[in-house]
Amino acid sequence: MSKVTIIIPNYNGKHFLYPCMNALLGQTYTDFDVLIVDNGSTDGSQEVIRSFSFPFPVRGIFLTENTGFSGAVNAGIYEAEGEYVILLNNDTEACPGYVGELAAALDRDRKKRVFAVSPKMIQLYHKDLLDDAGDGYNLLGWAFQRGVGQPVSTLKFNCAKSVFSACAGAAIYRKDLLQELALPKESGQTGAEGGAHTGAAAYPEYFDLQHFAYLEDIDLCYRARVRGYDVRYCPEAEVYHVGSGTSGSKYNAFKVRLAARNNVYLNYKNMPLLQLFINLPFILTGVLVKLSFFTKIGFGKEYRAGFAEGIKTLSACRKTRFRIKNLPHYFAIELRLIGDTFSYIGDFLRRHL
């Protein structure tokens, strides 16, 4: 049994699979196996996966329909045999020390209070620029990629630190804590995407199926932080990333609508009513700014539709249960939201000025 299981979700990404898998051949750390979860691809991906032969163990799970990112990785996590699981997008190419550095970061945490570790993600086609140095979340209700578009050499992104969330496109997680954080089985109706798909519903919900795709990693790490677990950024673990390899572009109608809807879910599910009431003016400001931005670039209709769908289907959300013992963690989260607001503004100004 390998210590680390690398889970690669795939949907019509045959052209990404070869470079992604070949990059794993060069890993200096070898105590891992690979599990590729195909989401009902129609481009020949399944035949390619079945034909793979590598020095490390490779298995495939073949779902009959597209269950979204959440459905695919839930299946992979459940079937994973490793103590740690790495979720790796198919449009990535891992540097030689990537797996070893992530595993070492969790090994160093003797108290097992670190839930996940996010690597340094670098833009594949602009290797001098960062793609993600761990994810932040601010008072406006905006998730953001720390360091995106800034030089790889930027000092602040070459230091390990605690971050709000790990990017599930290349992060490592403790499997036992994923099992602890799994959502209860019962769920209501959801929107057009998400919910109990055939096949996906058979697995525990580590990532919420209601999200389908986008912000599901922020949601999971939010739940972990409510319970007092930490999330770290490890700059020594490097991976190149195309970005939006499955959806096809940074902004598109599908992505804008789902992200708008899931943003509503994220705040409602994880904030106690008092915290939600306190932050509501900032969240609404964030909604108006985003609406203006997406209207300007031609996706205002999709953003409004996603936001409306989120409000309409709130009754299906499973709120994180509030417990008095977690009150210090909520205060810590609020302070982090404030800090990430200033961090986001700083990153924004550096990118544009």
Side-chain angles (χ1 to χ4, degrees), residues 101-102 105-106 108 114 116-122 130-136 145-148 150-167 170-172 225 230-239 336:
E101 292 290 352
L102 288 181
L106 287 183
R108 288 191 293 268
V114 175
V117 180
S118 201
K120 179 192 289 182
M121 300 178 75
I122 302 167
L130 288 167
D131 182 62
D132 189 292
D135 288 342
Q145 301 157 262
R146 294 179 63 253
V148 62
Q150 296 188 48
V152 171
S153 59
T154 304
L155 182 60
K156 67 177 287 188
F157 301 117
N158 284 301
C159 300
K161 67 166 295 181
S162 175
V163 293
F164 190 91
S165 174
C167 173
I172 191 170
R225 289 201 164 280
D230 194 15
V231 179
R232 302 288 299 176
Y233 164 63
C234 177
E236 293 80 16
E238 297 183 339
V239 59
R336 189 172 288 273

Side-chain angles (χ1 to χ4, degrees), residues 24-182:
L24 294 177
L25 280 172
Q27 294 301 300
T28 56
Y29 180 94
T30 58
D31 191 9
F32 68 88
D33 62 279
V34 175
L35 183 54
I36 305 174
V37 185
D38 188 79
N39 241 341
S41 293
T42 57
D43 68 340
S45 289
Q46 297 185 12
E47 291 75 13
V48 169
I49 295 167
R50 289 188 174 97
S51 71
F52 278 153
S53 178
F54 286 89
F56 45 81
V58 180
R59 294 179 289 149
I61 295 177
F62 302 97
L63 303 178
T64 58
E65 62 179 325
N66 184 5
T67 63
F69 180 87
S70 296
V73 297
N74 284 346
I77 293 167
Y78 181 77
E79 299 291 345
E81 297 178 349
E83 177 184 354
Y84 305 149
V85 295
I86 288 177
L87 305 184
L88 186 64
N89 280 3
N90 58 4
D91 63 339
T92 58
E93 295 180 23
C95 297
Y98 164 74
V99 176
E101 292 290 352
L102 288 181
L106 287 183
D107 286 341
R108 288 191 293 268
D109 174 36
R110 301 293 185 183
K111 295 182 179 180
K112 295 188 176 182
R113 300 307 299 172
V114 175
F115 166 61
V117 180
S118 201
K120 179 192 289 182
M121 300 178 75
I122 302 167
Q123 296 181 28
L124 181 63
Y125 300 133
H126 301 279
K127 294 185 177 179
D128 58 330
L129 297 178
L130 288 167
D131 182 62
D132 189 292
D135 288 342
Y137 194 61
N138 63 35
L139 286 174
L140 297 171
W142 297 352
F144 62 97
Q145 301 157 262
R146 294 179 63 253
V148 62
Q150 296 188 48
V152 171
S153 59
T154 304
L155 182 60
K156 67 177 287 188
F157 301 117
N158 284 301
C159 300
K161 67 166 295 181
S162 175
V163 293
F164 190 91
S165 174
C167 173
I172 191 170
Y173 301 81
R174 293 187 187 277
K175 185 174 179 182
D176 59 343
L177 296 187
L178 282 166
Q179 292 169 328
E180 178 185 323
L181 292 166

